[in-house]
Amino acid sequence: MIVDPALLAMRARATFASDHRVAALVRPGSVTQVQACMRIAASQRIPVYPVSSGRNWGYGSSLPASDGNAIIDLSRMNAILEINPRLAYATIEPGVTQRQLMQALQDITPALWLDATGSSPDCSIIGNTVERGFGHTPYGDHFGHACALQVVLPDGRLVETGFGQFPGAAATPVYRWGVGPAIDGLFTQSNLGIVTRMTVWLMPEPAYFQAFFLRARESALEPMVDALRTLRLEGSLRSSIHLVNAFKVISSDGRFPWGLADGTGRLPEEATRQLIARWGCQAWNGSGALYGSRAQVAASRRRVLELLRPVATELRFLDDRTIGIAGRLRTPYKWFTGVDLAQAMALVKPVYELMKGIPTSRMLASTYWRKREIPDEFDPDRDRCGLIWVNAVAPADPVQVRRMVTIVETVFRKHPFEPAMSMTLRTERAVDNIISITYDRDRDGEDERAMACHDELLSALMDEGFYPYRLGVQSMALAAQRRDPSARELIDRLKHALDPHGTLAPGRYAG
Amino acid sequence: MIVDPALLAMRARATFASDHRVAALVRPGSVTQVQACMRIAASQRIPVYPVSSGRNWGYGSSLPASDGNAIIDLSRMNAILEINPRLAYATIEPGVTQRQLMQALQDITPALWLDATGSSPDCSIIGNTVERGFGHTPYGDHFGHACALQVVLPDGRLVETGFGQFPGAAATPVYRWGVGPAIDGLFTQSNLGIVTRMTVWLMPEPAYFQAFFLRARESALEPMVDALRTLRLEGSLRSSIHLVNAFKVISSDGRFPWGLADGTGRLPEEATRQLIARWGCQAWNGSGALYGSRAQVAASRRRVLELLRPVATELRFLDDRTIGIAGRLRTPYKWFTGVDLAQAMALVKPVYELMKGIPTSRMLASTYWRKREIPDEFDPDRDRCGLIWVNAVAPADPVQVRRMVTIVETVFRKHPFEPAMSMTLRTERAVDNIISITYDRDRDGEDERAMACHDELLSALMDEGFYPYRLGVQSMALAAQRRDPSARELIDRLKHALDPHGTLAPGRYAG
């Protein structure tokens, strides 16, 4: 157990201000040790907070949801217990990172892809999945592609979900529901248990892969939502489609144009225009991909062209061959005409690779947007990058999506930050909007200003019916108080049944 | 409240013997009345058992899981509360049947398909979904395509799942997880609450639809499992693939060849051979379908041909045009050469339509297999058809599937029934085997013989790791006792937290 104040203070760091302190840190190396931790915590009434890799940036890093918790750091439990090439799954522990699993797949069975998030390659796969995070391939709904959880309950008991509850069940890693009540959802976005093992399904590498990138004017948002929903619903697109606004693009390399700054803290309009021109981006910038045989991809591409060409100002397809050429030549390739190829490629390539399930740390550069310097190795906590994420879900309906976007723009007008939005058609019917409030924690008063922006934005979105799919520790109290009293009472009852002393992650996803 | 003994006895009927009696019957017409029922049940300690349509044939019809329950019949609550054509969903009450929703869709928005089970058109959609039943289109995993449950808890409180817990949440009907612990799984295959409302997602009618039917020899089972898993994993097939054995085909019209019976109760070998010849079937008979634009279907069909032609003795594709021709001409169409076209079409057509989400009562004919007469309108409970379903899940791995099949065949050799199997590649990685024990309840001692076969079969399958995806009231005790003690203890704790007096459906999915 670590109790050194300096080390503990490091664990209480996040990309925003918090007064939660960390009381201790334990790093169990096995499920038995996790069980022992939980038993001690329960008997001694010590609040404990599990983290996997602690890289929940923008949502609290490894920061507990309440003050004075002991962190249970699961990163030592990093065994890949099984990779099954035939049935296309891997069974892993919470310390297994995206990079580690990808490496193992490349060594053992390169024909299987993982689905990666846009966060660091060193993020925990289980950590992201129990937060119901998402990625970019057809396996992008992480919790929807995982099963067979092993869970340590707050009293130290060990349970399994799905068929794992039955000795020797052959279908445990391949069939999620098992038989009887489906309990696995209880252990996502909650404080009811610690997931110590999980099976994640893997996607077989398709015979052919083609990505597309599009640009569209502001007014095209509505028809684009209609077109994308149609393509998703009919199955022509089987993976997430991303639609980011211009602020998201121009802040992606983390270089605020300090030379053009006007002292307001906000990006001046003229500078915005210049950056948009340099990046060659539009109000909305989309990406998606097609997976299948060459003939399947060609058939789906035809539908994509049919529906998206009328609404986009540009629509380009890239595959391994064309991206290879662009990468090698670094000359004004047709796709990038008029824009800085090296810079555009530096953004396109990681997005392209993410759609193939390859994790990248490139996206983290945007957390340095308001910093004066960008290090070679990103560590937003250490470097006092300010990043607060707010997210909201809307139906994939043009009127609703526009309403959601307008709320975001309206709120940001009152705050000295850029409303960078990344919208994802996560399913056939729902759009997630991930909004980042990016700032410099070293600037006086900025922590407070950013959190004020967060509070107002989250409240304004919820007021209009756009609730978050996921909460950071900064948002949990605000969101939980909106929960219907009878649902809150039910969750309290479940919590009390599983954790009568309330020692596991108090305040996590609860008021 | 109905307490007339004759009416109650009717509700205690099933397609197998049971000594559970029904104490009373109530038919609430609203969620408020369901809440009142639950409050009375809890305060008076009356065990209550909810049924939707009561057509859970082969799994207990409307029979409670323990003796002396009052049935809460939800069939009067049959409102279709919303059909959303743009976002492709319907919000319904538990009394809404497959037929009713299909009719409503045809009236309002025929471009949306429901996903139907092979059971009666008069089955409840919610009833099937909370049992985690499945159908035949890409939306075949019913619980996987439903969200936003409204649930009456055993104490009469009303809760919603997903975003329904938050007032005015726009994404409630389109995004399943909501925010915070995902609790909806608790209310499937359980006795923790009564689902009084649900949203089901609907599939947009594809531009083109093509079904395929295949036949294969016994020895082709293994390569076929490999081929079908590959096609599912790569996305060439997006819906369930069914593989039924010869017994399933020849019993499908419910006409046991009594003229050839030898008094053993079992179908004689010679009669089996004759029936197989007349039906033109093989050891394994498969069906599946392709959905998409013409080009997408053509591309996927190419993959289906590539992988299935080498393993099948026959592989034929049908679309609306060809099936129309076959239906009109009733002459030896190429596909049916040498077999009774009318008979084959009578089987093929409902399977074809099921793959388009059109419910049929045709499949119920097989429950009359051992009866001497088949009525015009099927009612297996009334007609004392014997039907016990046993099911088991295996990984989509040839060795495992073969092992599962061999267990079934071995057990049936000791019992006077035909091992009719219907295997479904329900997901990319898992195969469900639905085995029917079909008999005549009017034959002396047959109820006991059939249940002995059930018990031995279920135990033998579980001994080898093949656990059921779903339980009838006849199987709950046998399966529940296999559950790991710590998982059982967790479920008991959840049950106690939600239903301290244990009045809701005692014994349901529990030991």
Side-chain angles (χ1 to χ4, degrees):
Chain A
M1 189 164 75
I2 292 163
V3 290
D4 173 34
L7 284 171
L8 297 182
M10 275 184 64
R11 290 310 192 104
R13 286 185 324 199
T15 57
F16 47 79
S18 165
D19 52 9
H20 297 172
R21 288 156 304 179
V22 174
L25 173 71
V26 283
R27 302 188 67 225
S30 69
V31 68
T32 320
Q33 291 181 3
V34 176
Q35 291 180 272
C37 292
M38 294 287 253
R39 275 190 222 104
I40 294 166
S43 69
Q44 306 297 312
R45 310 287 192 270
I46 302 165
V48 290
Y49 195 85
V51 303
S52 300
S53 73
R55 288 180 175 79
N56 198 11
W57 288 313
Y59 292 122
S61 305
S62 64
L63 196 64
S66 60
D67 188 34
N69 287 213
I71 288 181
I72 299 180
D73 177 326
L74 303 166
S75 58
R76 279 177 65 209
M77 293 176 62
N78 65 350
I80 297 173
L81 300 164
E82 186 191 357
I83 290 178
N84 188 310
R86 175 176 269 172
L87 294 163
Y89 66 79
T91 301
I92 57 174
E93 291 188 331
V96 173
T97 65
Q98 303 195 101
R99 188 197 304 276
Q100 186 189 348
L101 183 55
M102 189 186 61
Q103 194 54 58
L105 291 175
Q106 282 174 355
D107 292 347
I108 296 167
T109 173
L112 290 181
W113 287 1
L114 75 122
D115 182 278
T117 71
S119 192
S120 160
D122 300 311
C123 285
S124 157
I125 293 170
I126 288 186
N128 181 269
T129 304
V130 299
E131 282 295 286
R132 301 201 296 257
F134 63 94
H136 305 254
T137 75
Y139 283 47
D141 177 13
H142 290 171
F143 182 54
H145 290 82
C147 73
L149 278 52
Q150 182 193 62
V151 182
V152 177
L153 297 181
D155 62 3
R157 271 176 194 261
L158 197 65
V159 294
E160 316 233 353
T161 70
F163 278 131
Q165 297 168 51
F166 295 87
T172 302
V174 293
Y175 183 78
R176 62 183 302 107
W177 309 123
V179 63
I183 56 172
D184 51 1
L186 289 182
F187 305 106
T188 60
Q189 295 191 354
S190 80
N191 54 11
L192 300 172
I194 296 181
V195 177
T196 46
R197 193 182 66 212
M198 190 174 77
T199 294
V200 293
W201 298 330
L202 302 166
M203 177 178 162
E205 180 178 24
Y208 182 55
F209 168 87
Q210 197 171 50
F212 63 87
F213 293 83
L214 65 83
R215 291 167 188 157
R217 282 187 238 286
E218 189 57 58
S219 61
L221 180 64
E222 287 89 345
M224 207 155 40
V225 167
D226 270 333
L228 291 172
R229 186 193 62 246
T230 301
L231 290 167
R232 284 284 276 161
L233 276 170
E234 72 183 26
S236 292
L237 293 177
R238 296 191 291 124
S239 62
S240 305
I241 310 303
H242 294 267
L243 219 47
V244 305
N245 69 356
F247 285 117
K248 188 77 191 173
V249 178
I250 64 180
S251 63
S252 65
D253 68 350
R255 293 173 197 278
F256 190 91
W258 291 108
L260 301 171
D262 62 3
T264 63
R266 204 193 299 261
L267 187 67
E269 272 190 35
E270 179 48 33
T272 308
R273 261 192 298 274
Q274 285 185 24
L275 283 177
I276 287 176
R278 197 194 310 155
W279 282 92
C281 63
Q282 275 279 6
W284 295 103
N285 308 275
S287 58
L290 302 167
Y291 306 79
S293 68
R294 279 201 172 255
Q296 285 166 338
V297 167
S300 294
R301 176 184 159 138
R302 209 171 308 164
R303 288 291 296 156
V304 170
L305 281 168
E306 222 172 293
L307 272 73
L308 289 181
R309 183 150 278 173
V311 299
T313 56
E314 275 187 81
L315 175 60
R316 308 279 178 172
F317 291 83
L318 283 181
D319 63 9
D320 286 351
R321 200 180 59 86
T322 48
I323 207 159
I325 293 169
R328 272 198 309 278
L329 298 183
R330 296 215 163 215
T331 61
Y333 180 63
K334 188 181 169 199
W335 166 223
F336 307 106
T337 313
V339 305
D340 181 335
L341 176 65
Q343 178 180 274
M345 277 304 292
L347 178 62
V348 163
K349 194 138 185 273
V351 174
Y352 179 89
E353 291 187 337
L354 266 179
M355 293 191 277
K356 301 175 80 172
I358 301 168
T360 173
S361 57
R362 175 63 182 70
M363 304 299 166
L364 285 176
S366 65
T367 58
Y368 289 82
W369 168 239
R370 294 290 194 97
K371 302 300 286 187
R372 299 261 171 181
E373 278 173 40
I374 307 183
D376 287 337
E377 202 155 322
F378 302 138
D379 184 341
D381 292 334
R382 175 197 65 200
D383 298 331
R384 294 184 56 78
C385 297
L387 174 65
I388 307 179
W389 267 329
V390 175
N391 66 78
V393 186
D397 173 290
V399 176
Q400 302 266 36
V401 172
R402 171 61 75 192
R403 273 181 60 220
M404 177 168 67
V405 165
T406 303
I407 294 166
V408 176
E409 289 168 343
T410 307
V411 170
F412 269 85
R413 248 173 247 131
K414 299 188 247 169
H415 300 271
F417 309 103
E418 290 72 46
M421 289 184 250
S422 172
M423 292 204 287
T424 305
L425 256 101
R426 227 184 124 150
T427 71
E428 292 84 349
R429 293 167 180 80
V431 176
D432 263 349
N433 191 353
I434 315 289
I435 307 124
S436 44
I437 303 168
T438 309
Y439 65 102
D440 180 359
R441 296 200 61 203
D442 285 325
R443 195 181 149 108
D444 255 11
E446 204 79 337
D447 268 335
E448 293 72 22
R449 282 187 289 272
M451 200 55 80
C453 179
H454 161 273
D455 290 355
E456 188 180 342
L457 179 60
L458 181 58
S459 296
L461 285 164
M462 293 192 297
D463 285 347
E464 296 297 315
F466 303 114
Y467 286 84
Y469 94 88
R470 171 181 182 178
L471 300 170
V473 293
Q474 78 278 17
S475 314
M476 287 173 186
L478 254 186
Q481 71 194 33
R482 303 268 180 147
R483 197 184 291 276
D484 180 83
S486 73
R488 203 186 306 182
E489 194 265 354
L490 170 61
I491 291 170
D492 286 348
R493 265 200 271 174
L494 296 174
K495 175 71 173 169
H496 188 76
L498 298 185
D499 186 11
H501 309 303
T503 46
L504 180 59
R508 183 167 172 71
Y509 281 95
Chain B
M1 188 165 76
I2 292 163
V3 290
D4 173 33
L7 285 171
L8 296 182
M10 275 183 64
R11 289 311 192 103
R13 285 184 325 199
T15 58
F16 47 79
S18 165
D19 52 7
H20 298 172
R21 287 156 305 179
V22 174
L25 173 71
V26 283
R27 303 187 67 225
S30 70
V31 68
T32 319
Q33 291 182 3
V34 175
Q35 292 180 271
C37 290
M38 295 286 254
R39 275 192 220 103
I40 294 166
S43 69
Q44 305 298 311
R45 311 285 194 270
I46 302 165
V48 290
Y49 195 85
V51 303
S52 300
S53 73
R55 288 181 174 77
N56 198 11
W57 288 312
Y59 290 121
S61 305
S62 63
L63 196 64
S66 60
D67 189 34
N69 287 213
I71 286 180
I72 299 180
D73 176 327
L74 303 165
S75 58
R76 279 177 65 210
M77 293 176 62
N78 64 349
I80 297 173
L81 300 164
E82 185 191 358
I83 290 178
N84 188 310
R86 175 175 271 173
L87 293 163
Y89 67 79
T91 301
I92 56 174
E93 291 188 329
V96 173
T97 65
Q98 304 195 101
R99 188 197 304 277
Q100 186 189 348
L101 183 56
M102 188 185 64
Q103 194 56 56
L105 291 174
Q106 282 175 354
D107 293 348
I108 297 166
T109 174
L112 290 182
W113 287 1
L114 75 120
D115 182 279
T117 70
S119 192
S120 158
D122 300 312
C123 285
S124 157
I125 292 171
I126 288 187
N128 182 270
T129 304
V130 298
E131 283 294 286
R132 301 201 296 256
F134 63 95
H136 305 254
T137 75
Y139 283 46
D141 177 12
H142 289 171
F143 183 53
H145 290 82
C147 72
L149 277 51
Q150 181 194 61
V151 182
V152 177
L153 297 181
D155 62 5
R157 271 177 195 261
L158 198 63
V159 295
E160 315 233 353
T161 70
F163 278 132
Q165 298 168 52
F166 295 86
T172 302
V174 294
Y175 183 77
R176 62 182 303 105
W177 309 124
V179 63
I183 56 173
D184 51 0
L186 289 182
F187 305 107
T188 60
Q189 297 193 353
S190 80
N191 53 13
L192 300 172
I194 296 182
V195 177
T196 47
R197 194 181 66 212
M198 190 174 77
T199 294
V200 293
W201 297 330
L202 302 167
M203 177 179 163
E205 180 178 22
Y208 182 56
F209 169 86
Q210 197 171 50
F212 63 87
F213 293 84
L214 65 82
R215 292 168 187 156
R217 282 187 239 287
E218 188 58 58
S219 61
L221 179 64
E222 287 89 345
M224 207 153 41
V225 167
D226 269 334
L228 291 172
R229 187 193 62 246
T230 302
L231 290 166
R232 285 282 278 160
L233 276 170
E234 73 184 26
S236 292
L237 293 176
R238 295 191 291 125
S239 62
S240 305
I241 311 303
H242 294 268
L243 219 47
V244 305
N245 69 354
F247 285 117
K248 188 76 190 176
V249 178
I250 64 179
S251 63
S252 65
D253 67 350
R255 294 172 197 278
F256 190 90
W258 291 107
L260 301 170
D262 62 4
T264 63
R266 204 192 299 262
L267 186 67
E269 271 190 36
E270 178 49 32
T272 307
R273 261 192 297 275
Q274 284 185 25
L275 283 177
I276 287 176
R278 198 197 305 158
W279 281 94
C281 63
Q282 274 279 6
W284 295 104
N285 308 275
S287 59
L290 302 168
Y291 306 79
S293 69
R294 279 201 174 256
Q296 285 166 338
V297 168
S300 294
R301 176 184 160 139
R302 210 172 306 163
R303 287 292 295 156
V304 170
L305 281 168
E306 222 171 294
L307 272 73
L308 289 181
R309 184 151 277 172
V311 299
T313 56
E314 276 187 79
L315 175 60
R316 308 278 176 171
F317 291 82
L318 283 181
D319 65 10
D320 286 351
R321 200 180 60 85
T322 48
I323 208 161
I325 293 169
R328 273 199 308 279
L329 299 184
R330 298 215 161 216
T331 59
Y333 179 63
K334 189 182 168 199
W335 164 227
F336 307 108
T337 313
V339 305
D340 181 336
L341 175 65
Q343 178 179 276
M345 277 303 292
L347 179 62
V348 164
K349 194 139 186 270
V351 174
Y352 179 89
E353 291 187 339
L354 266 178
M355 291 189 280
K356 300 175 81 171
I358 302 169
T360 174
S361 57
R362 175 62 182 72
M363 304 299 166
L364 285 176
S366 66
T367 58
Y368 288 83
W369 168 239
R370 294 291 193 95
K371 302 299 287 189
R372 300 262 171 177
E373 279 172 39
I374 307 183
D376 287 338
E377 203 155 321
F378 301 138
D379 185 340
D381 291 335
R382 174 197 67 200
D383 298 331
R384 293 184 57 77
C385 297
L387 173 66
I388 306 178
W389 266 329
V390 175
N391 66 77
V393 186
D397 172 291
V399 175
Q400 302 267 36
V401 172
R402 172 61 76 191
R403 272 182 60 219
M404 177 168 67
V405 165
T406 303
I407 294 166
V408 176
E409 290 169 343
T410 307
V411 170
F412 270 85
R413 248 174 246 130
K414 300 188 247 168
H415 299 271
F417 310 104
E418 289 75 45
M421 288 183 249
S422 171
M423 291 203 289
T424 305
L425 256 103
R426 226 182 126 152
T427 72
E428 292 84 349
R429 293 167 180 79
V431 176
D432 263 348
N433 191 352
I434 316 289
I435 307 126
S436 45
I437 303 169
T438 308
Y439 65 101
D440 180 359
R441 296 200 61 203
D442 285 325
R443 194 181 148 111
D444 256 12
E446 205 79 337
D447 267 336
E448 292 73 20
R449 283 187 289 271
M451 200 54 81
C453 178
H454 161 273
D455 290 354
E456 188 179 342
L457 180 60
L458 181 58
S459 295
L461 285 164
M462 293 192 297
D463 284 347
E464 296 297 315
F466 303 115
Y467 286 83
Y469 93 88
R470 170 181 183 179
L471 300 169
V473 292
Q474 78 279 15
S475 314
M476 288 172 185
L478 254 185
Q481 70 193 35
R482 304 268 180 147
R483 198 183 291 275
D484 180 83
S486 72
R488 205 188 303 183
E489 195 265 355
L490 170 61
I491 291 171
D492 286 349
R493 266 200 271 175
L494 297 173
K495 174 71 174 169
H496 189 76
L498 270 53
D499 186 11
H501 309 304
T503 46
L504 181 59
R508 183 166 173 73
Y509 281 95

